[in-house]
Amino acid sequence: MKWWILAGIVAGLGGALHHAGWPASSAQAAEPPRRRAAEVREQDIAFYEARAARDRYGARDRAMLAALYLDRSRATGSEGDLRRAETLARASLGTRHARNDGAAAVLASALMAQHRFPEAYDLTAARLDADPTDAVTRATLGEIALELGRYAEADRLFASLTLLRGTSGVGPRYARWLELSGRSGEARELLHALRDSLAAGFRTSPEQLAWYDLRLGELAAHHGRPDLARPALARALASLPGDPRVLVALGQLELRTGHPDRARDLGIRALDQRLDPAALILLAEAAEASGDSAAARRYARALEVAVSQAGNGFHRAWGLFLLDHGQRVAEMRTRATAELGSRRDVHGLDLAAWAAFRAGDAAAAAPLAEEALRRGVEDATLFYHGGRIALVMGDTATARHRLAEALAIDPAFHYRQAAEARSLLARLGPR
Amino acid sequence: MRAALLAMVLAAHPLHSTHTEVREAAGGRLTVTVRAFTEDLRAAVVRQQGGLGDSSLARYARSRIDVREAGGTGIPWTWAGVRVDGEMTFLTLTGEARRGLSGATVRQEMLMELFADQVNVVQIRRPGGDASLLFLPGDRPKTLP
């Protein structure tokens, strides 16, 4: 799951989870945070399983159990927990449909985690219809609209939440909207403020703080500020030692800043925790950057096997990886284009554009890249792809502008492509 | 964009994997710890062994994990227990590699009979240097440097 979604859920159910014994950062300081949180979660699961078994109509118990399973699925990558979370949330809603926002929120998140965005949208839209004053539901619907590329709707929903952007249920989603509106600086400020507020709070878990630090680190890393990214990611790792998401984010930063050996070590440490396609991509690219093509092929093959049985949706990261390496281009183009039928967001558009370009069809790629860039998202990869496409289309002025913009956003946006962008710009010469 | 895409991959697409640590102590004593999803492991053991006791788990693990010293001698495993922690189950085996793990071959095929997308991660921890191996369905045993 996108773990920014989960943080929203934890925040949304925060009060209830606290009553159920959600870990407080000030307690049990001598224990490793990851272990403590996992242990508490297991105790809570056992507690609510027993309660749910005793009372077959206990809607709240089932909602709490669903939230805990959802949390555990995020931590372990368990498919079974994700299914259990969905089933329990549905059972809870079946017993009590009204005033059961916790179960509905968990169900929406479980659906989003499975990339079932249209279902999550319908569910959340119905909740908002029932209570148009619920800010968290409004923000959740906005977040799903962003995923689906329904930007006008997302803009409208988030615009009405400006005064509530400092609250935990709204803030992370509002920051995501800012980021996808070309306002990354504001997103960063908001995330900082939310993090600081949480850090000063009473019952803030290390996981919550780590979530903010990871987001802040990634934002900085993708905006050419490794100096800000490293301490943020280091803080996240201190809160959650060994967390694979943080290790991969650090590894990506090391790879892009010219340290493939460090990236490989971080990728291996991430694999120690759990199999993660992001770690496999990192390892494949780090091996490639080190000149170890045999290892790169091994990791790429493992990635392919790991994601080969995907039930829902299309692996965009895998697709991008394959396209970058000129593999299975026709297949990836078909899949990326097909996905636009249900999700027309900027990254889906960019992937379809890049696939068309890699297939040698720049004419088809150009309008897709144009549409992807129209929103103004400050993402160097979008500009790089757009620049390459414009160049082949003979529009050198646009190509020059886009390639320069990619490097301005992040001079080290990719371990290989940033250098390619520089080389192309040098060849194009000044205006 | 890459970060956003990568962050989305994991939970959206369930992954089948186990993690195995093979730790070599001084004198060649080996401790193997396997971490697997309980649900998947249960299904595999019941299918192969028809039951789920410790003896069934031990027989299943021995049939799917093989470490051979450089000369080809297989290392016999001693069952050292099982621990269930939430959704994960941890199996521990011990053995002895008299000649150490240099040049040894390793095979880890757990759960591959169930899932075509099974990926088993094996981390070798030894005084001479760590190694990281990935096993996919159809892979041959891998030789350690």
Side-chain angles (χ1 to χ4, degrees), chain A residues 123-430:
Chain A
L123 174 83
T124 310
R127 283 173 58 211
L128 191 61
D129 277 347
D131 182 4
T133 65
D134 188 322
V136 175
T137 304
R138 184 173 290 268
T140 305
L141 189 62
E143 183 181 29
I144 301 168
L146 287 173
E147 292 295 341
L148 291 168
R150 299 183 185 187
Y151 293 117
E153 184 179 0
D155 292 348
R156 181 174 53 75
L157 288 162
F158 281 110
S160 67
L161 291 167
T162 302
L163 294 177
L164 294 168
R165 66 187 183 281
T167 58
S168 60
V170 172
R173 297 176 170 105
Y174 194 94
R176 182 73 180 146
W177 171 67
L178 288 171
E179 192 183 347
L180 289 175
S181 303
R183 296 158 68 184
S184 296
E186 289 174 68
R188 181 174 166 74
E189 283 172 17
L190 176 57
L191 288 170
H192 250 305
L194 289 162
R195 189 217 180 268
D196 290 347
S197 166
L198 264 183
F202 173 51
R203 282 175 160 165
T204 302
S205 72
E207 283 173 325
Q208 286 173 298
L209 285 180
W211 180 89
Y212 280 100
D213 286 327
L214 175 57
R215 290 284 290 121
L216 286 164
E218 287 183 330
L219 260 179
H222 290 277
H223 287 79
R225 295 301 303 268
D227 57 320
L228 297 177
R230 282 199 172 86
L233 294 173
R235 279 198 306 274
L237 205 54
S239 297
L240 294 180
D243 187 280
R245 294 157 299 202
V246 183
L247 290 167
V248 168
L250 267 170
Q252 289 168 344
L253 183 61
E254 296 293 0
L255 175 62
R256 297 201 317 269
T257 52
H259 304 289
D261 291 347
R262 289 187 209 164
R264 184 201 58 209
D265 292 346
L266 288 159
I268 288 172
R269 281 175 63 193
L271 276 190
D272 247 354
Q273 302 301 315
R274 71 175 179 217
L275 181 69
D276 181 348
L280 292 174
I281 290 174
L282 172 66
L283 285 162
E285 294 186 336
E288 184 184 270
S290 301
D292 187 350
S293 54
R297 278 196 301 275
R298 279 199 303 274
Y299 288 120
R301 183 164 164 256
L303 174 67
E304 179 160 0
V305 169
V307 302
S308 61
Q309 305 291 310
N312 299 307
F314 165 52
H315 289 269
R316 288 180 171 183
W318 178 51
L320 187 60
F321 175 83
L322 289 175
L323 291 172
D324 283 347
H325 292 83
Q327 294 167 15
R328 299 166 67 163
V329 171
E331 179 193 343
M332 293 303 115
R333 184 184 184 188
T334 301
R335 295 174 76 167
T337 306
E339 198 183 43
L340 291 181
S342 56
R343 289 178 73 193
R344 207 171 177 87
D345 62 309
V346 292
H347 295 116
L349 286 160
D350 172 71
L351 195 63
W354 192 233
F357 172 78
R358 298 293 279 179
D361 190 354
L368 292 168
E370 192 73 42
E371 193 178 341
L373 286 164
R374 198 173 298 146
R375 177 114 184 126
V377 179
E378 296 163 353
D379 184 325
T381 302
L382 302 185
F383 281 95
Y384 171 73
H385 290 167
R388 290 283 306 270
I389 292 164
L391 190 59
V392 171
M393 292 299 288
D395 184 351
T396 52
T398 300
R400 188 184 292 113
H401 163 74
R402 288 176 179 170
L403 293 170
E405 190 63 24
L407 291 168
I409 291 169
D410 183 2
F413 68 88
H414 187 272
Y415 71 102
R416 193 161 35 81
Q417 293 169 353
E420 289 167 5
R422 257 182 222 99
S423 165
L424 286 170
L425 269 176
R427 243 178 28 210
L428 286 169

Side-chain angles (χ1 to χ4, degrees), chain A residues 89 93 100-109 123-124 127:
Chain A
L93 285 168
N100 195 357
D101 288 344
V106 171
L107 179 55
S109 282
L123 174 83
T124 310
R127 283 173 58 211

